[in-house]
Amino acid sequence: MMEENSRDNRRQGKRWQRKRTSSSSSSSSSSSSSSHINNLDDGCLMHIFSFLPPIPDRFNTALVCHRWNYLACHPRLWLRVDRSVKDLSQPGVFPNIETAVSASRPGDTILIAAGGSHHTSNIQIKKPLCLIGAGELPDDTTLICSRGSDSALELLSTCKLANLTVKAELGCCLLHRKGRLTVDGCILQCESNPLDFLSCPIVSTANSSEVLPSQTKSNGGGDGVFVSQTRIEGGAKAVVTSGDLALQRVRVIYARTSLLFWFDVEQM
């Protein structure tokens, strides 16, 4: 009799254990499926992607799947310059930098495709934009300014350039008029033996007295040029200023193949 009772108790214990295991597994599976990021709608997921830095996080996000590629490359998050795309009817895709800048809105990011050269001559940027090269290295995305042009890019607003190579055959790579210009992880190339007034990587004509207090807040601190981890080649001088901005906080790191510069150009 005692043996039968013990057997019944064992059977009940096994049944209770199976029931507990199945219920816990079902609850865990339901909780994991309900918390899965792919259950979010497109608008919410795109909003999350907007907080990621364009390179490399948002760019890598586009490689996960077709849906993430569509959302991460959506023109609401950035515009693309890609000459290899045949169907230019795609939203947010442009054949050259000039048309992308014209179509952009203040605060947009323009991703410039790697491979080949993009010709830029006296392109004026009058709104806050971010231009980023899509290659692994700045050498992969090259902007070339041909002879007869004053500059590759003329910047009249707060802008950022990253992961790009800018070459000026004659003239300057970047002509800074006003706003805060940030150059991060780029290569600026000019002629190696130029005349002083003809060739220079960066020329700034900004005058801090032109900046109003309201503009100072929106521009994040007034006019200036901020360069970091950037290789500067050629030119009589790395930077020339004709306004009232001055060079500050200069740091140079010498490597075997290049010189990397960190410096600020702002009001003393």
Side-chain angles (χ1 to χ4, degrees):
M1 188 74 175
M2 292 179 62
E3 290 180 2
E4 290 178 0
N5 289 336
S6 60
R7 285 174 188 168
D8 292 339
N9 291 334
R10 281 194 218 107
R11 290 195 194 103
Q12 289 177 359
K14 287 180 180 179
R15 287 196 205 100
W16 179 80
Q17 190 174 7
R18 280 195 224 103
K19 196 179 293 184
R20 184 182 178 187
T21 305
S22 61
S23 62
S24 61
S25 62
S26 62
S27 62
S28 62
S29 62
S30 63
S31 62
S32 63
S33 62
S34 63
S35 63
H36 201 280
I37 190 170
N38 275 330
N39 289 336
L40 299 174
D41 60 50
D42 287 355
C44 186
L45 198 56
M46 191 185 301
H47 183 66
I48 293 173
F49 291 165
S50 68
F51 291 100
L52 298 175
I55 299 293
D57 295 341
R58 201 189 304 162
F59 186 76
N60 290 336
T61 298
L63 305 177
V64 173
C65 62
H66 290 294
R67 183 190 178 208
W68 284 32
N69 179 273
Y70 170 77
L71 297 177
C73 297
H74 197 277
R76 275 179 53 190
L77 298 184
W78 56 16
L79 308 179
R80 287 188 296 148
V81 175
D82 193 346
R83 296 174 306 155
S84 65
V85 176
K86 296 181 181 179
D87 183 12
L88 295 177
S89 62
Q90 295 183 27
V93 181
F94 301 90
N96 54 62
I97 296 173
E98 190 169 9
T99 55
V101 169
S102 299
S104 64
R105 297 168 298 178
D108 277 350
T109 297
I110 299 176
L111 183 70
I112 305 171
S117 300
H118 301 267
H119 292 277
T120 55
S121 296
N122 298 327
I123 296 179
Q124 288 189 337
I125 301 180
K126 300 180 180 181
K127 46 195 163 188
L129 293 177
C130 181
L131 276 65
I132 298 179
E136 294 183 4
L137 299 171
D139 306 80
D140 297 335
T141 310
T142 304
L143 278 55
I144 294 182
C145 177
S146 58
R147 290 177 178 270
S149 302
D150 295 332
S151 64
L153 301 173
E154 184 178 354
L155 302 126
L156 297 96
S157 183
T158 296
C159 294
K160 180 178 180 179
L161 306 179
N163 200 39
L164 291 169
T165 294
V166 184
K167 293 182 179 181
E169 295 180 0
L170 189 64
C172 64
C173 297
L174 307 175
L175 178 55
H176 171 246
R177 297 291 192 188
K178 63 171 65 174
R180 289 172 64 89
L181 170 61
T182 302
V183 183
D184 184 20
C186 291
I187 300 174
L188 306 179
Q189 296 178 338
C190 288
E191 288 191 4
S192 55
N193 296 308
L195 295 173
D196 287 4
F197 61 92
L198 286 180
S199 184
C200 184
I202 300 176
V203 174
S204 177
T205 63
N207 191 334
S208 61
S209 62
E210 297 176 356
V211 180
L212 300 175
S214 59
Q215 292 175 326
T216 302
K217 291 180 182 178
S218 62
N219 290 344
D223 293 351
V225 180
F226 306 92
V227 176
S228 64
Q229 300 187 59
T230 293
R231 196 166 85 220
I232 295 177
E233 301 175 355
K237 301 175 182 177
V239 58
V240 173
T241 61
S242 59
D244 62 359
L245 303 183
L247 192 64
Q248 299 184 41
R249 293 186 287 274
V250 180
R251 183 160 64 104
V252 182
I253 293 182
Y254 175 76
R256 290 184 178 180
T257 57
S258 60
L259 290 170
L260 294 180
F261 287 83
W262 286 256
F263 60 81
D264 299 345
V265 180
E266 56 185 343
Q267 187 179 14
M268 294 292 286

